[in-house]
Amino acid sequence: MFMFTRYLIKISCLLCCLLSFSVNGQIVLEGGQSGAELVTSLLDTGIEIVDIQLNCGDTSYGTFSNGDDVDLGIDQGIVLTTGTIDDVPGPNEDDGISFSSGLPGDPLLDEIIAPFTTNDACALEITLIPCGDILTFNYVFGSDEYNEYACSGFNDVFAFLITGPNPGGADYDNQNIALIPGTDLPVAINSVNNGTAGTNGIPDGCISLDFANFFVDNDFDDVAPEDLLDLE
């Protein structure tokens, strides 16, 4: 007999992340949705939603479309950011974009990037019951701290945490499944970067410099204007 089990999924960002649910021009951002509206646009059919908690700044979340037109890798989805979604569209012309939501950090993110701590976290928590045994998400991680703050104390990070029954054994308990493939390393600017320390960082300040194959450089100091993505 197939048993339906309940999972708590927490998507936490200290950065800008765009997640997909699976018209020509610039990426289009829209804010102001409720947590339920975000989840409805993110999840497919066959999933029972039990509870939703959205803990983000007022302008730190929304939906996006036209991602394919800017080579984002995801055409439509939701965006969660430590700053404001108004800063997501390009072109990238400023290394100093900054915005504070005034919210605290997230203790679970603090654990992931210890000894660093976090501020302005944005988190979407979904308690759900899937009707099958496979649930997939796609995401893109981005940060305006690239490239100059790679390997510094400004270590923006993304986590996808799951709590609930583990078919392989003991239950998941805030298990981060957003890891660099083949490793147990989190996704952060100090682990996914261009392979060199930034001007404000040092090599020893990085978790890793070995995963430039997962990194797309969109810094106007390093990339020719015609090759930049139309994203900040």
Side-chain angles (χ1 to χ4, degrees):
M1 181 178 68
F2 187 85
M3 296 184 65
F4 293 98
T5 51
R6 178 179 299 191
Y7 292 88
L8 169 63
I9 292 174
K10 181 174 182 178
I11 307 165
S12 298
C13 300
L14 187 74
L15 48 97
C16 174
C17 61
L18 303 103
L19 299 98
S20 84
F21 55 91
S22 198
V23 294
N24 193 24
Q26 190 179 56
I27 191 169
V28 175
L29 280 296
E30 182 178 349
Q33 300 87 351
S34 66
E37 289 170 328
L38 290 182
V39 171
T40 297
S41 68
L42 180 64
L43 297 179
D44 207 338
T45 57
I47 298 171
E48 178 184 345
I49 303 300
V50 178
D51 187 50
I52 299 167
Q53 299 292 327
L54 178 65
N55 298 293
C56 296
D58 290 343
T59 63
S60 297
Y61 61 91
T63 60
F64 73 91
S65 58
N66 288 10
D68 284 349
D69 292 334
V70 294
D71 295 325
L72 179 63
I74 299 174
D75 190 47
Q76 301 179 80
I78 69 170
V79 54
L80 305 175
T81 174
T82 189
T84 171
I85 63 172
D86 295 335
D87 289 335
V88 173
N92 183 16
E93 298 176 330
D94 187 351
D95 272 340
I97 292 292
S98 180
F99 181 91
S100 174
S101 67
L103 295 181
D106 187 300
L108 295 174
L109 292 179
D110 291 344
E111 291 179 15
I112 290 171
I113 61 168
F116 305 114
T117 57
T118 58
N119 297 286
D120 300 318
C122 179
L124 176 63
E125 297 186 28
I126 312 166
T127 304
L128 55 82
I129 301 174
C131 67
D133 57 0
I134 296 176
L135 183 64
T136 61
F137 290 83
N138 298 315
Y139 69 90
V140 172
F141 167 89
S143 172
D144 201 60
E145 306 297 357
Y146 287 123
N147 289 310
E148 62 273 21
Y149 284 99
C151 305
S152 77
F154 295 94
N155 187 23
D156 285 355
V157 60
F158 170 70
F160 197 107
L161 304 162
I162 184 169
T163 297
N166 179 356
D171 288 352
Y172 295 115
D173 182 12
N174 286 312
Q175 177 75 38
N176 182 24
I177 59 173
L179 303 173
I180 297 174
T183 78
D184 60 357
L185 299 178
V187 174
I189 70 168
N190 285 357
S191 58
V192 181
N193 46 61
N194 67 3
T196 60
T199 54
N200 295 305
I202 58 174
D204 288 345
C206 255
I207 298 171
S208 178
L209 292 169
D210 298 330
F211 298 103
N213 55 308
F214 295 116
F215 179 72
V216 176
D217 197 336
N218 198 47
D219 192 312
F220 59 83
D221 288 328
D222 304 324
V223 179
E226 62 272 17
D227 295 326
L228 286 170
L229 305 183
D230 197 11
L231 296 165
E232 174 57 41

